[in-house]
Amino acid sequence: MARAQGARALMALAFETIYGTPPVSGYTQMPFASTSLAAAQPLLSPELLGYGRDPQAPMQDAITTDGDVVVPIDAEGFGFWLKAAFGDPVTTGTGPYTHEFRSGGWTLPSMSIEVGMPEVPRFAMYSGCVLDQLSWQMQRSGLLTAKAALVAQGETVDTLSNAGTPAALTLTRFGHFNGAIKRDAVALGNIVSADLTYANNLDRIETIRSDAKIDGADPSIASLTGKIDVRFADSTLVTQAINGTAAELEFSYALGSGESLTVTAHAVYLPRPRIEVQGPQGVQASFDWQAALDATAGRMCTVVLVNNTGAY
């Protein structure tokens, strides 16, 4: 008897034309490290009295379908998750291509994602997937991955794949050592680590339906937040925090072969941090930053991905 193994798991993704309706073709095989995307239906304990101390049978509650997907930050596949987070990019070039994703759009695309376990067999299709959050950490070493938090409409399980034969991607990963951080176009030194989280803050449309599915997930006020841990070497960031002024932060990765990923937060505000001496080691300061709309750029952030994929 075959048993499910994560090493054999597959994931296929396609953008939907109609929310909640899986496309019949056009799927792409996606690289991923782990996923918690699934449907869950809790039980409601009975509240009735008069039947003795032993309870009556529980009742099923509403179905919730959501979860996270941990994915590599790579030059080709990461564009699908950026499109899910920001909407369609503005693409220029004839190869390499430059894809510019902009915050502030009112319409987000929905996706159908199939997670397959061929040895069982079990193929779960999650339709109406909308991206709620996209986050990752920059540091000196280790594997560079991002976490995509999704809200889906529902789950359909089959013994055969409904994604056909997904197109394969060329995996070209960025590494932590390919990263750089700039403040107002000047390299920012003494950074120990940095966290980034872009959130669409989805509002689930939970209406009464016979199929227990949601009607949709609408984006509300977006946010771009994070944390910077720095070795305390000068007062540049502290002065900015005290003055309450904004600065542009740029987080980027670049490969020698020409692929690059650049996230620009156009107006970042810093809180005044606690500067503590906790021992003989170097003194560190942490800034929990927040980005806001920049009047000059006309948006909160811009993400530019340069790769060899013509369109998303």
Side-chain angles (χ1 to χ4, degrees):
M1 179 180 177
R3 294 177 175 83
Q5 293 184 342
R8 297 188 61 186
L10 303 170
M11 177 177 289
L13 179 153
F15 288 101
E16 300 172 345
T17 302
I18 301 173
Y19 173 77
T21 302
V24 296
S25 61
Y27 288 84
T28 301
Q29 183 173 325
M30 301 299 298
F32 72 107
S34 65
T35 178
S36 62
L37 183 61
Q41 187 175 23
L43 296 175
L44 296 174
S45 300
E47 81 288 14
L48 301 178
L49 305 177
Y51 293 93
R53 292 186 59 237
D54 294 334
Q56 297 294 298
M59 297 186 63
Q60 292 179 317
D61 200 2
I63 299 174
T64 301
T65 307
D66 55 18
D68 302 331
V69 181
V70 178
V71 300
I73 298 183
D74 70 306
E76 312 297 332
F78 198 59
F80 289 90
W81 303 108
L82 291 175
K83 177 178 176 178
F86 297 97
D88 290 321
V90 176
T91 299
T92 57
T94 56
Y97 302 91
T98 299
H99 310 279
E100 183 177 282
F101 301 86
R102 301 172 179 177
S103 65
W106 287 103
T107 302
L108 296 179
S110 62
M111 305 170 286
S112 287
I113 298 176
E114 185 183 75
V115 179
M117 303 176 190
E119 67 276 13
V120 175
R122 183 183 191 271
F123 293 87
M125 179 67 76
Y126 301 97
S127 57
C129 295
V130 183
L131 192 141
D132 190 21
Q133 290 187 1
L134 187 64
S135 60
W136 69 91
Q137 183 181 66
M138 299 182 72
Q139 56 190 20
R140 185 174 183 274
S141 63
L143 294 173
L144 178 58
T145 59
K147 182 171 70 174
L150 304 170
V151 173
Q153 186 186 42
E155 174 192 69
T156 303
V157 179
D158 204 340
T159 58
L160 298 174
S161 174
N162 290 287
T165 304
L169 289 172
T170 300
L171 184 61
T172 306
R173 297 185 69 170
F174 295 107
H176 282 294
F177 65 93
N178 302 125
I181 301 176
K182 293 182 179 180
R183 178 185 179 273
D184 288 339
V186 178
L188 191 59
N190 298 300
I191 303 296
V192 178
S193 66
D195 297 334
L196 296 86
T197 298
Y198 179 80
N200 284 309
N201 296 309
L202 297 179
D203 178 23
R204 301 180 194 229
I205 311 303
E206 297 178 322
T207 57
I208 299 174
R209 296 173 49 136
S210 59
D211 59 6
K213 295 181 179 181
I214 61 173
D215 266 350
D218 295 342
S220 60
I221 300 299
S223 65
L224 177 60
T225 59
K227 180 179 179 181
I228 296 177
D229 291 326
V230 301
R231 284 279 187 165
F232 191 58
D234 60 61
S235 299
T236 301
L237 297 179
V238 175
T239 301
Q240 178 189 336
I242 293 174
N243 293 337
T245 56
E248 182 180 88
L249 287 184
E250 178 186 287
F251 308 89
S252 64
Y253 303 94
L255 299 177
S257 51
E259 295 87 352
S260 65
L261 171 66
T262 305
V263 180
T264 303
H266 298 289
V268 171
Y269 294 84
L270 305 175
R272 183 168 179 168
R274 298 172 64 93
I275 308 297
E276 301 178 351
V277 180
Q278 297 183 346
Q281 288 80 18
V283 177
Q284 291 189 190
S286 296
F287 297 86
D288 293 310
W289 57 269
Q290 299 179 32
L293 172 67
D294 179 73
T296 303
R299 53 187 174 272
M300 178 173 61
C301 68
T302 304
V303 182
V304 177
L305 178 63
V306 178
N307 61 19
N308 297 306
T309 298
Y312 289 99

